[in-house]
Amino acid sequence: MSYKLVFLPAIGDRHREWAAEIRQAVPDIEVVLAESREQALFALADAQAAFGALDPELLAAAPQLQWLAAPAAGPSPGFYFDELIASDVTVTNQRGIYNDHIAAHILSYVLAFARGLHFYLPAQVRNEWLKDGPDTLHLPEATVVIIGVGGIGGETARHCAHFGMHVIAIDPRVKESPQGVHELYRPDALDDHIGRGDFVIITAPQTPTMQSFMNRDQLAKMKNTGILINIGRGSNVVLDDLADALYNGAIGGAALDVFEIEPLPTDHRLWNAPNFLMTPHVAGIGPYLDDRRLQLLIDNCRRLRDGENLINIVDKANWF
């Protein structure tokens, strides 16, 4: 079917380039760039598809809307508002395009802790030659618990298994063990297994049930030598509770790429916490991402036109 796709504000040069590519790849749909809110309200009146973020007023102005393409894998808080969740609009996201980059970033954390780089790198900055570092961790004798084994978690599991690690996966949706996963359980079994992990890796998205999930109580269930890695969403880990666990020695260490508050406040205790590594929300950075975003959008444009199932449909009530 022929239909209208509206790019919602804010529009940049990249969106203009994408619009041109979509017009060429799927020539029988109309692509409109809404440069302002007023233009968006007008264009949505007869649109069947949109790219970007809506709000209740914009949604109400789009009575024919069938598909909303979210501009990220995990859009900003508030993207899934009540009216959108209750509507018949199908939402897709951009999950899957970051799997290789983020899994490699996770493995860099794992290897850093296994080989003591969390000890040696700060010593280098201090001009200290310290050979009496922490014991190395022999990865074929290590167990990793991965919370969330979708695309990123599944790729991480494959890498961990390659290094000989025993991989335990926790996921509410995945029915069969992905490659590299030795044990697969639902979230209600996490308490039985989190204490087995030399590494506990959170790759789960931001959902209502995951907010503040890794708190004081959950941290207390980990091994006191266990390493926590969070690369899912910042809201999944309570920073103050994590700082307490590191300073008190309740866990062996932690590595974060995402934070409850970004940027991390300069006076936060985590900056100088023992056995702590951090990167400033850069795990997803890598080549080819724009090409992947565009190809996903084009594929779904074709699918909507041809009446086929869209890729990456979101469970709106759970935001992923």
Side-chain angles (χ1 to χ4, degrees), residues 194-261:
I194 191 171
R196 299 170 61 191
D198 296 291
F199 294 92
V200 175
I201 300 174
I202 305 175
T203 65
Q206 179 176 306
T207 67
T209 58
M210 284 301 297
Q211 293 201 90
S212 301
F213 161 79
M214 187 55 71
N215 54 28
R216 186 181 310 275
D217 292 340
Q218 284 292 347
L219 289 163
K221 297 169 186 174
M222 288 178 56
K223 281 186 178 181
N224 60 8
T225 56
I227 307 298
L228 174 69
I229 297 173
N230 182 33
I231 215 152
R233 286 294 177 268
S235 62
N236 293 348
V237 175
V238 180
L239 294 184
D240 288 338
D241 290 358
L242 175 61
D244 288 342
L246 291 170
Y247 280 102
N248 296 337
I251 64 173
L256 302 184
D257 183 64
V258 290
F259 300 81
E260 273 185 311
I261 307 168

Side-chain angles (χ1 to χ4, degrees), residues 24 42 77 84 97 115 126 130 186 204 238:
Q24 182 174 357
F42 178 80
L84 178 61
I97 69 171
R115 300 302 305 177
R126 299 189 302 265
L130 299 178
R186 293 187 58 79
V238 180

Side-chain angles (χ1 to χ4, degrees), residues 42-184:
F42 178 80
L44 285 169
D46 59 348
Q48 290 76 33
F51 173 87
L54 294 171
D55 58 33
E57 183 185 23
L58 291 172
L59 178 62
Q64 300 182 37
L65 194 66
Q66 300 176 29
W67 166 44
L68 174 64
S76 301
F79 181 92
Y80 296 103
F81 53 93
D82 291 343
E83 292 87 346
L84 178 61
I85 293 171
S87 74
D88 293 330
V89 176
T90 297
V91 178
T92 62
N93 64 17
Q94 294 183 356
R95 66 181 182 267
I97 69 171
Y98 307 97
N99 295 354
D100 49 354
H101 301 322
I102 295 182
H105 203 90
I106 292 171
L107 261 292
S108 73
Y109 285 149
V110 170
L111 294 172
F113 276 103
R115 300 302 305 177
L117 297 188
H118 63 295
F119 175 85
Y120 294 116
L121 291 179
Q124 175 188 344
V125 174
R126 299 189 302 265
N127 295 354
E128 295 179 355
W129 183 272
L130 299 178
K131 296 189 69 174
D132 189 19
D135 293 336
T136 59
L137 178 62
H138 188 48
L139 292 181
E141 296 175 352
T143 295
V144 56
V145 176
I146 303 177
I147 302 173
V149 280
I152 294 168
E155 185 73 357
T156 300
R158 188 177 66 83
H159 286 317
C160 288
H162 172 78
F163 281 93
M165 302 177 73
H166 185 79
V167 180
I168 300 170
I170 307 293
D171 198 284
R173 296 184 183 180
V174 176
K175 300 294 192 299
E176 296 183 2
S177 295
Q179 181 182 358
V181 171
H182 301 101
E183 302 177 43
L184 174 64

